[in-house]
Amino acid sequence: MLQAGRLRGEAALALLLAARVVAAFEPITVGLAIGAASIITSYLTYDDIYCRFAECCREERPLNASALKLDLEQKLFGQHLATEVILKALTGFRNNKNPKKPLTLSLHGWAGTGKNFVSQIVAENLHPKGLKSNFVHLFVSTLHFPHEQKIKLYQVQLQKWIRGNVSACANSVFIFDEMDKLHPGIIDAIKPFLDYYEQVDGVSYRRAIFIFLSNAGGDLITKTALDFWRAGRKREHIQLKDLEPVLSVGVFNNKHSGLWHSGLIDKNLIDYFIPFLPLEYRHVKMCVRAEMRARGSAVDEDIVSHVADEMTFFPKDEKIYSDKGCKTVQSRLDFH
């Protein structure tokens, strides 16, 4: 069915173009071409044809929850909480025909634990072109908001950018990386867009998604994980309720979190604080295997062990967690 629809769209476009080319030469041919195109396009709207050749914002496009679940389970390692919460949050939000506010997720944990990777997976499952989509917008604090003396300008620019893009596509996704390097106050400029308003200046933001990525809170997450390990409890037994309250308070009181005394937290506008646990030796090996497969190489367990052994681990005595997560796996694998 999809193939047949694609062929109809391509045929219609070809016939319409052909009609324009021969218009100066043969009126009868033109009539036949237009007639044939009319028959084909009677099954397709203009949007159907256009969206086969250009990216469109399909508000009715459903989320494939099974595909998202498979991506998270097969590509993200050691993060049972993130997998569970993100799957439920996105599925519930996209299945809700009338959400009361945008979905806002705040992802926390040390570098290399998978926050950026998850944002990429989410983007690809919401819009086929992923991070390259016209409807997915990535902001990096040190790149887009580098100067503290320009906070007011950044706030105005950010509001205009989000307003314009949500007006063009209600399902827009906004990702803010390096929140812990963001100057305090900048993010509060978008507070009205995240609140329970039906519209703000004639624009509804209720179907948009905002994702914050931050290293802030990594110490609190690691402490909880370490407490479980020292008590002989499996990390898989850590629940969201063990971390989320501590995380939200810790981030709110952290001057370097990007959310210090933020109205987003104070007004409960962040739907989920999602912790990314520090990665153990076994998780690093999983990352190495996945990278080898991604490169089209056969998995060599000797190389897997060598790369994992080259990583450094903490705390100093126990050496349980990789201090860079899986962040340097790609570069280290280049040497083997």
Side-chain angles (χ1 to χ4, degrees), residues 96-133:
N96 186 349
K97 301 299 182 183
N98 186 32
K100 300 302 180 184
K101 65 178 291 297
L103 177 64
T104 307
L105 307 175
S106 194
L107 281 50
H108 297 267
W110 292 131
T113 52
K115 301 185 302 296
N116 290 84
F117 191 44
V118 160
S119 67
Q120 178 183 331
I121 290 175
V122 168
E124 290 171 351
N125 278 271
L126 293 173
H127 296 283
K129 290 189 176 182
L131 294 177
K132 295 181 180 179
S133 170

Side-chain angles (χ1 to χ4, degrees), residues 29 33 41 56 96 139 149 157 180 227:
T29 306
T41 56
C56 291
N96 186 349
F139 298 94
Q149 65 271 25
Q157 291 177 334
D180 48 299
D227 287 344

Side-chain angles (χ1 to χ4, degrees), residues 37-299:
S38 298
I39 294 172
I40 294 173
T41 56
S42 64
Y43 298 100
L44 299 166
T45 65
Y46 170 79
D47 286 344
D48 288 329
I49 297 174
Y50 177 80
C51 294
R52 294 180 188 276
F53 302 95
E55 186 182 22
C56 291
C57 178
R58 296 280 197 175
E59 294 188 20
E60 73 280 3
R61 182 175 179 266
L63 173 68
N64 187 334
S66 298
L68 175 60
K69 183 174 185 289
L70 193 64
D71 276 349
L72 291 171
E73 290 178 347
Q74 292 187 348
K75 299 176 182 179
L76 183 65
F77 307 118
Q79 304 298 351
H80 68 284
L81 287 175
T83 296
E84 177 185 346
V85 177
I86 289 171
L87 181 61
K88 288 183 177 180
L90 283 174
T91 302
F93 181 72
R94 290 301 294 268
N95 287 340
N96 186 349
K97 301 299 182 183
N98 186 32
K100 300 302 180 184
K101 65 178 291 297
L103 177 64
T104 307
L105 307 175
S106 194
L107 281 50
H108 297 267
W110 292 131
T113 52
K115 301 185 302 296
N116 290 84
F117 191 44
V118 160
S119 67
Q120 178 183 331
I121 290 175
V122 168
E124 290 171 351
N125 278 271
L126 293 173
H127 296 283
K129 290 189 176 182
L131 294 177
K132 295 181 180 179
S133 170
N134 292 325
F135 313 122
V136 176
H137 310 277
L138 174 63
F139 298 94
V140 180
S141 297
T142 51
L143 176 64
H144 295 100
F145 316 108
H147 305 295
E148 186 173 5
Q149 65 271 25
K150 294 184 178 181
I151 287 179
K152 294 297 183 183
L153 174 63
Y154 294 150
Q155 289 178 325
V156 172
Q157 291 177 334
L158 188 57
Q159 287 180 338
K160 287 182 177 179
W161 182 263
I162 292 176
R163 183 184 298 113
N165 281 283
V166 173
S167 297
C169 179
N171 291 337
S172 290
V173 178
F174 301 93
I175 302 169
F176 293 82
D177 194 11
E178 298 183 345
M179 281 290 294
D180 48 299
K181 297 179 178 67
L182 187 68
H183 298 297
I186 289 181
I187 203 64
D188 277 356
I190 68 171
K191 177 182 172 293
F193 305 149
L194 307 186
D195 215 326
Y196 291 84
Y197 298 123
E198 187 171 346
Q199 289 188 345
V200 178
D201 294 332
V203 179
S204 174
Y205 297 87
R206 291 183 169 187
R207 299 212 64 81
I209 295 176
F210 294 82
I211 302 175
F212 304 138
L213 313 180
S214 178
N215 290 347
D219 53 342
L220 301 172
I221 297 168
T222 297
K223 181 182 182 303
T224 298
L226 197 55
D227 287 344
F228 268 70
W229 184 85
R230 287 170 174 165
R233 303 171 66 186
K234 294 182 178 180
R235 65 188 279 131
E236 289 77 17
H237 292 166
I238 300 175
Q239 299 180 42
L240 188 62
K241 66 181 181 180
D242 296 319
L243 279 166
E244 192 174 34
V246 177
L247 196 55
S248 62
V249 173
V251 170
F252 182 79
N253 292 320
N254 184 344
K255 289 186 177 182
H256 304 290
S257 69
L259 291 166
W260 179 61
H261 288 186
S262 171
L264 273 62
I265 299 178
D266 195 36
K267 300 298 183 182
N268 298 311
L269 298 180
I270 296 178
D271 298 294
Y272 295 98
F273 288 88
I274 304 176
F276 280 67
L277 304 176
L279 299 181
E280 300 174 6
Y281 181 82
R282 59 190 170 109
H283 301 127
V284 174
K285 294 180 76 172
M286 291 177 183
C287 291
V288 179
R289 295 187 190 102
E291 178 61 22
M292 294 180 79
R293 293 190 190 99
R295 297 183 181 192
S297 305
V299 175

